[in-house]
Every structure is written in C-alpha cells, then in structure tokens.
Amino acid sequence: MESIFHEKQEGSLCAQHCLNNLLQGEYFSPVELSSIAHQLDEEERMRMAEGGVTSEDYRTFLQQPSGNMDDSGFFSIQVISNALKVWGLELILFNSPEYQRLRIDPINERSFICNYKEHWFTVRKLGKQWFNLNSLLTGPELISDTYLALFLAQLQQEGYSIFVVKGDLPDCEADQLLQMIRVQQMHRPKLIGEELAQLKEQRVQKTDLEHVLEVNDGTGMLDEDEEELQRALALSRQEIDMEDEEADLRRAIQLSMQGTSRNRCQDIPQTSGSHPTSEELRKRREAYFEKQQQQQQQPAPPGQLTHLCEKSSTSCEAPDRDLVMHRCENWTIKKAEHQKIDAFELWC
C-alpha cells in the first residue's frame, strides 16, 4: 500500500488532509483554502450589506469572526465544497431524503467525506478495495465490501455527518495499480495518539531504567533473585574469613608448641652415645645393688669407716638412699617408655 497517498495530521489542518487524501496528491495548501474562505466571507458580507450597511444585523455580522475558517486551521464544509467544485466534484449528504430515495448501495460509490466536531476525513475506493484515509491514523486502513455499510452506519450513530462525493475523481497511481492486484492487511494501523503514547511510555521506561542504573552506579540489584545472590556471596565471604582466622589460630598454636618443645629440649642435658634399652638399665641397677650389698656385708677398715662417717656427716643434707633409688627407678622406667631418655646417667 505504499502507492496510496496518505497525509497525516498536522495541527488542525484536517480539511486539507481530507481533500488531498481524496484526490491522492498535494492539491491544496492552507493558503489556497484560506483564500477560498476569505472569498466566501466577502460574498456573505455583500449579501448582508444589501439590507443596509447601517442596520443592526450588518454591524453584528462585521463584529463576528469568520465562520469559514479560524486561526487553528479549521475550514468549513463550504470551503471544502467550493474546493471540490474546481475539479467538478459535488457533495451530497448521505442521509438526506433525496439520496436515500436513490437506494444506492455504498459499495457502488467512489468516495465519502466524513465530519464530526470539526474533524474531516476521507473514505475512498482505490481499484476494487475500500480504504479509510483518516489523517489521524498512522496509515491507510483496508475496509472490506461487507464491512463498509456497517462502518458508515457506525459513524452515523457516533454523530458523524457523511457526504457522498459525486463526479469523476482525477486519475492516480494507486487506483491504477490496485485495479490489477488486491492487497491484504495483516495489522490495522493505530491512531497517531496511541502510537505517540506508546513511544512516550517507552521513553519514560527507558529513562526510569537509566535512572536506576545511574543511582546504583551500574551495580545495583534490579530484582529479588540478584539480591539473594548478593547476600549468599556475602555470607560465603564471611565463612571464608572465619576459616582463615581459624587456620591462623591453629598455626599460631602449633608454632607455640614447637617453641615450647625446643625450650624443653634446651633445658635437658644432652648425652653422647646411644641410649640404653630398658633391659640394660635393669641389669645395671641389679649389678649396682649387688655391689652395695657386698660392701655392706664386708667390715670396713677403721680408716675407711672414719672416712665414711666424715663423708656421711658432710652430706647430711643428701636424701635417703632408698628413697632416691625408688624414685630413680620409677622415673627411669617412665622415661624409657617416652622417647628413651638416658635416665641412668642423669641419676648419676
């Protein structure tokens, strides 16, 4: 349907769009229609002056604004009718008694002009199909033959005035092309206001989204799922930090224990040679006890006895021998079981 001429609404120039869509070309401009309106105003003034330029009706007429046009771009039905007379076309009211007596099927006509509250638009047949060329639509709207009568009846119920265009319309490319082919329309055009509202809503949504991203510096969470993910990541980082602290604490305790072990090792005198086994220690103790018993059974010489007494007197502070032997035996057995400490030499 690219070949169909369709002017879209600009300001209040619906009368201009209606005529050009009807004639399928840029035939009229606001200046030309204004000229027709001024001519009609002058004709009306002259008729009023016939009754006397000093009459009250004439002075009232001069004070009133033009009824054929206004500053917004509106033009009356008289302007449209006079514009069509240039092309030999005539307008007849669709629901007038004269036309209704003709009983003409709407599909046998060529075009209609519709008006409601200062808005004009054209319904025209191009080729073998009808199209609604309303300038408030984003494009031509295909109307089937069966729907045309219902469409016109609906407009009448809504308060529209419908005019039948009589006469031969000028030739146009769309009419010639659509005589050979028929078109199909998958999607009906929308009203310009609806399209603008959708575009405005899309712009508002885009602006709101950009504002949200700007406030959050591009890192804000836009839904609950992402917020939950953020909280899960935060908990995971806390658990990792706690595990790191526990690992540091374990290493500190281990190092402290190692330092204590080294200090203990430094306090214990180191002995040369290999450590004796528990069996060797037991044999050494038995041999030592036997030797002591033999010395006790043999009488000591007088000099030696005196020497022993003196030695005993000088070591009166030493512990009892049996007690020392008992403690040494227990201590030696325990240390032999724990890493083989040389208990015998330590006791000596």
Side-chain angles (χ1 to χ4, degrees):
M1 293 189 292
E2 296 179 357
S3 61
I4 300 177
F5 182 86
H6 179 253
E7 275 188 358
K8 297 180 182 179
Q9 188 72 22
E10 293 183 5
S12 298
L13 299 175
C14 53
Q16 171 194 323
H17 305 319
C18 174
L19 290 170
N20 289 337
N21 290 339
L22 173 67
L23 302 174
Q24 285 294 288
E26 297 179 356
Y27 289 90
F28 292 99
S29 66
V31 175
E32 293 170 339
L33 294 178
S34 298
S35 177
I36 296 175
H38 285 303
Q39 183 179 357
L40 291 173
D41 289 341
E42 183 63 21
E43 293 176 357
E44 291 178 2
R45 187 192 66 80
M46 292 177 64
R47 285 195 298 268
M48 291 299 296
E50 293 176 357
V53 295
T54 60
S55 63
E56 186 67 24
D57 292 339
Y58 182 76
R59 287 195 299 266
T60 303
F61 173 80
L62 293 178
Q63 293 175 358
Q64 292 177 352
S66 172
N68 295 300
M69 62 172 293
D70 60 24
D71 295 337
S72 67
F74 166 77
F75 296 98
S76 65
I77 182 62
Q78 290 81 6
V79 175
I80 295 176
S81 178
N82 279 25
L84 291 177
K85 287 179 180 180
V86 178
W87 296 92
L89 300 173
E90 181 183 3
L91 294 180
I92 300 178
L93 190 60
F94 179 71
N95 60 351
S96 65
E98 295 81 8
Y99 183 79
Q100 292 296 322
R101 283 196 296 265
L102 299 176
R103 298 183 180 274
I104 300 175
D105 192 335
I107 63 173
N108 294 324
E109 299 289 356
R110 295 293 301 170
S111 59
F112 300 91
I113 288 180
C114 307
N115 168 252
Y116 178 70
K117 292 185 177 180
E118 301 183 353
H119 178 65
W120 303 89
F121 71 92
T122 294
V123 178
R124 173 173 171 170
K125 190 174 188 178
L126 294 169
K128 299 179 181 180
Q129 294 174 288
W130 284 90
F131 295 91
N132 178 8
L133 303 179
N134 193 335
S135 58
L136 293 178
L137 295 175
T138 56
E141 180 185 15
L142 179 63
I143 300 176
S144 65
D145 292 346
T146 55
Y147 181 66
L148 177 62
L150 295 176
F151 178 72
L152 296 176
Q154 181 181 357
L155 291 179
Q156 286 182 310
Q157 290 180 355
E158 293 176 358
Y160 275 83
S161 298
I162 302 175
F163 299 89
V164 182
V165 180
K166 289 294 186 176
D168 295 331
L169 296 168
D171 293 336
C172 63
E173 179 184 358
D175 186 56
Q176 296 174 359
L177 182 61
L178 294 176
Q179 290 287 350
M180 299 179 290
I181 61 173
R182 296 179 66 88
V183 298
Q184 293 182 352
Q185 191 171 45
M186 303 302 297
H187 302 285
R188 293 187 177 276
K190 299 179 181 180
L191 290 172
I192 293 178
E194 294 178 354
E195 186 180 39
L196 293 176
Q198 289 181 352
L199 293 176
K200 183 178 180 180
E201 183 178 359
Q202 292 175 359
R203 286 195 297 267
V204 170
Q205 292 176 354
K206 182 179 179 181
T207 303
D208 293 342
L209 178 60
E210 291 176 351
H211 178 68
V212 170
L213 294 177
E214 182 179 357
V215 170
N216 292 276
D217 195 20
T219 59
M221 296 295 101
L222 300 179
D223 52 40
E224 295 180 357
D225 294 339
E226 294 183 352
E227 290 180 358
E228 293 179 358
L229 176 61
Q230 187 71 8
R231 287 195 293 269
L233 292 175
L235 293 175
S236 177
R237 285 195 293 268
Q238 292 178 1
E239 293 177 357
I240 293 174
D241 293 340
M242 294 176 62
E243 292 178 357
D244 292 341
E245 292 177 358
E246 292 177 358
D248 293 340
L249 180 61
R250 286 196 298 269
R251 285 195 294 269
I253 294 174
Q254 184 177 2
L255 291 174
S256 176
M257 293 177 64
Q258 291 178 357
T260 304
S261 300
R262 285 195 297 269
N263 293 335
R264 289 179 179 177
C265 292
Q266 292 175 0
D267 295 338
I268 299 174
Q270 300 296 326
T271 59
S272 60
S274 60
H275 298 289
T277 63
S278 59
E279 182 65 24
E280 292 176 351
L281 292 174
R282 187 181 63 78
K283 290 181 180 181
R284 289 182 185 182
R285 289 197 299 273
E286 290 178 355
Y288 175 78
F289 293 149
E290 291 177 359
K291 184 178 179 180
Q292 293 293 327
Q293 291 176 0
Q294 291 177 1
Q295 291 178 356
Q296 292 176 1
Q297 292 175 1
Q298 294 178 0
Q304 185 176 4
L305 182 60
T306 302
H307 176 70
L308 291 173
C309 289
E310 294 176 353
K311 184 176 181 181
S312 174
S313 62
T314 58
S315 60
C316 61
E317 297 178 357
D320 182 72
R321 182 175 62 84
D322 294 337
L323 179 60
V324 172
M325 291 296 296
H326 178 70
R327 291 180 178 177
C328 181
E329 182 178 3
N330 292 338
W331 183 83
T332 303
I333 293 174
K334 291 180 180 180
K335 284 297 180 179
E337 294 175 354
H338 299 281
Q339 304 300 325
K340 299 179 180 180
I341 303 298
D342 192 351
F344 182 78
E345 293 183 0
L346 181 62
W347 177 78
C348 294

